[in-house]
Amino acid sequence: MGHTSPAGPGTRAERLSTLAQRHGALVALLLTVLAASLSFDSFATPGNLENVAVSSAFLAIVALGMTFVIVSGGIDLSVGSVFALGGVLAAWGSRHGPLVALLLPLAVCGAIGLVNGLLIARARLAPFIVTLAAMLGARGLMLNITDEGADTFLVAKESVFAGLGRGKLLGVGMPVWITLALFLLGGLLLSRSRFGQHVYAVGGNEDAASLMGASVNRTKVSVYVVSGLLAGLAGALNAAWLASGVTILGQGMELEAISAVVIGGTLLTGGLGSVSGSLVGVLLLKVIQNVINQIGSLDSAYQQVVSGAFLVVVVVVQTWLGRRRKARLTAPG
C-alpha cells in the first residue's frame, strides 16, 4: 500500500504529459476552428472549408513521408525541391498519357530518395548535408528541364490525369480522397507492420534496434525512398490541380512539412510520433493561414511568423516533457 499512493500521481502526470504531446495539436485545431467560425461568417462555408482541405492535401502528403523520416531519427530537406520537380515532370509527361504523368515523377523522385537513403545509411553521411545537397540538385534539375523556368508545361484540363487533381467525388476534391487513403495506409504501415516497428526502433536507439533484429540500414533507406515517392506524388497531383508544372512552387515546403510533423507530436529526436498527428499539424497550419487571409488587413508574412512561433512553442514543450519523463524514469525508487 505504501507504493500505491506515490505511483498514482506519477502515473497520472505521465499520462497527462503523453496526452499533451500526442493530442495538444488536435485541441489547438478544434479551438482555432471554433474561434474562426464564430469570428468570420465566411470561414465555415462549404467553399472555404473545401479550399482549406484541398490546399492541405499536397502538404499533407509530403508531411506523411516526412513523418517516417523523422520518426526514424532523420530529416529530409529535399522534399520542397522534389515536390516542384515532380510537378514539372508530371506536367511534361501528361502529354504522353496519365501513366507517364504519374510514373515518371515517381521514378525520378523515388530515385532521389534512394540516393539520399544510401548515402545516409551506407556512407554514414549526415542527413542534413545529404538532403540539403539533394534539395539543390533537384531544384537545379527542374530548372534545367524548364530552361531556367522559361518553359511552363501545361496539363490538358480535360485529360484523365487532370481529373486526379481537379475532379470531385461526393462533392469533395480528389486530392483530399487520395490524401486520406494514403494516410490510412501510412498509419497501418507505421503502427501495425513489422516495418513500422523497425522505424520506431531505429529512431529510438539504433543499437537496440539492431539487437532486436531490425535492419537499420534497410530501414533508413526505405524511409527516404518513401519520402521521395510521396513528395513526387504530391507534386504530380498539384500539377494536375493547377493544370501546369509551376517552377516556383515548393520553396520552403520542407520547413512547413517539418513544422507540421513536429507540431503533430512527433519528436525531432525520433522514436515517437504518428501519421494522424502529422495530419492534424498540417490542418492547424493551413487553418491559421486561412484565418490570417480572412482578417485581410494582415500581410501574408504573418503566416510564417505564426507558424514559426507555433514550432518554437511545440519544441520547447516537447523538450520539457521529454526531460520530465527521463527524470521520472531515472529517479531512484
Side-chain angles (χ1 to χ4, degrees):
M1 291 294 290
H3 283 294
T4 304
S5 99
T11 303
R12 283 197 298 271
E14 189 172 349
R15 287 175 180 172
L16 288 174
S17 297
T18 302
L19 286 173
Q21 187 164 30
R22 293 183 178 178
H23 304 296
L26 179 59
V27 174
L29 174 62
L30 294 176
L31 291 176
T32 304
V33 169
L34 177 61
S37 301
L38 295 175
S39 302
F40 305 102
D41 294 335
S42 59
F43 177 81
T45 60
N48 186 60
L49 293 179
E50 183 187 5
N51 179 54
V52 172
V54 173
S55 64
S56 300
F58 311 111
L59 176 60
I61 294 173
V62 176
L64 176 59
M66 188 69 76
T67 304
F68 280 84
V69 172
I70 295 181
V71 169
S72 73
I75 201 77
D76 191 351
L77 300 179
S78 68
V79 292
S81 295
V82 172
F83 171 85
L85 175 62
V88 168
L89 290 173
W92 180 87
S94 67
R95 299 179 296 184
H96 305 282
L99 280 180
V100 176
L102 278 176
L103 295 181
L104 180 61
L106 288 178
V108 174
C109 297
I112 293 174
L114 177 62
V115 172
N116 284 342
L118 289 173
L119 289 175
I120 292 166
R122 302 288 183 181
R124 306 293 182 184
L125 299 180
F128 181 89
I129 299 300
V130 171
T131 58
L132 179 62
M135 176 184 74
L136 299 175
R139 182 71 59 176
L141 178 58
M142 183 267 295
L143 291 175
N144 184 265
I145 294 172
T146 59
D147 190 21
E148 300 294 328
D151 297 333
T152 300
F153 304 115
L154 301 179
V155 177
K157 294 183 179 180
E158 300 79 17
S159 65
V160 174
F161 174 64
L164 291 176
R166 305 171 72 86
K168 291 188 177 183
L169 177 64
L170 301 177
V172 179
M174 286 302 296
V176 178
W177 290 112
I178 294 172
T179 300
L180 292 176
L182 288 172
F183 266 81
L184 178 61
L185 179 61
L188 292 174
L189 187 62
L190 190 58
S191 63
R192 303 290 184 181
S193 73
R194 190 174 186 84
F195 170 69
Q197 293 175 356
H198 290 176
V199 172
Y200 281 114
V202 170
N205 187 307
E206 288 189 19
D207 294 332
S210 182
L211 289 175
M212 67 173 271
S215 175
V216 175
N217 287 345
R218 187 183 305 137
T219 301
K220 285 186 177 182
V221 172
S222 298
V223 295
Y224 284 97
V225 171
V226 168
S227 182
L229 286 171
L230 289 175
L233 176 60
L237 291 175
N238 189 67
W241 183 52
L242 297 175
S244 66
V246 182
T247 58
I248 62 173
L249 294 179
Q251 296 182 6
M253 178 174 263
E254 60 280 348
L255 301 180
E256 275 193 292
I258 293 170
S259 298
V261 171
V262 174
I263 288 171
T266 298
L267 287 181
L268 270 175
T269 52
L272 180 66
S274 67
V275 299
S276 59
S278 297
L279 181 59
V280 171
V282 170
L283 291 173
L284 179 57
L285 289 179
K286 289 298 182 180
V287 166
I288 290 171
Q289 292 177 6
N290 188 267
V291 169
I292 291 174
N293 291 334
Q294 296 278 339
I295 295 173
S297 59
L298 295 179
D299 188 88
S300 60
Y302 279 97
Q303 296 175 1
Q304 298 177 351
V305 173
V306 174
S307 299
F310 254 98
L311 181 59
V312 169
V313 170
V314 169
V315 171
V316 169
V317 171
Q318 280 191 355
T319 303
W320 179 72
L321 292 175
R323 287 174 179 171
R324 285 194 59 184
R325 186 180 297 113
K326 185 177 181 180
R328 282 196 301 271
L329 291 175
T330 57

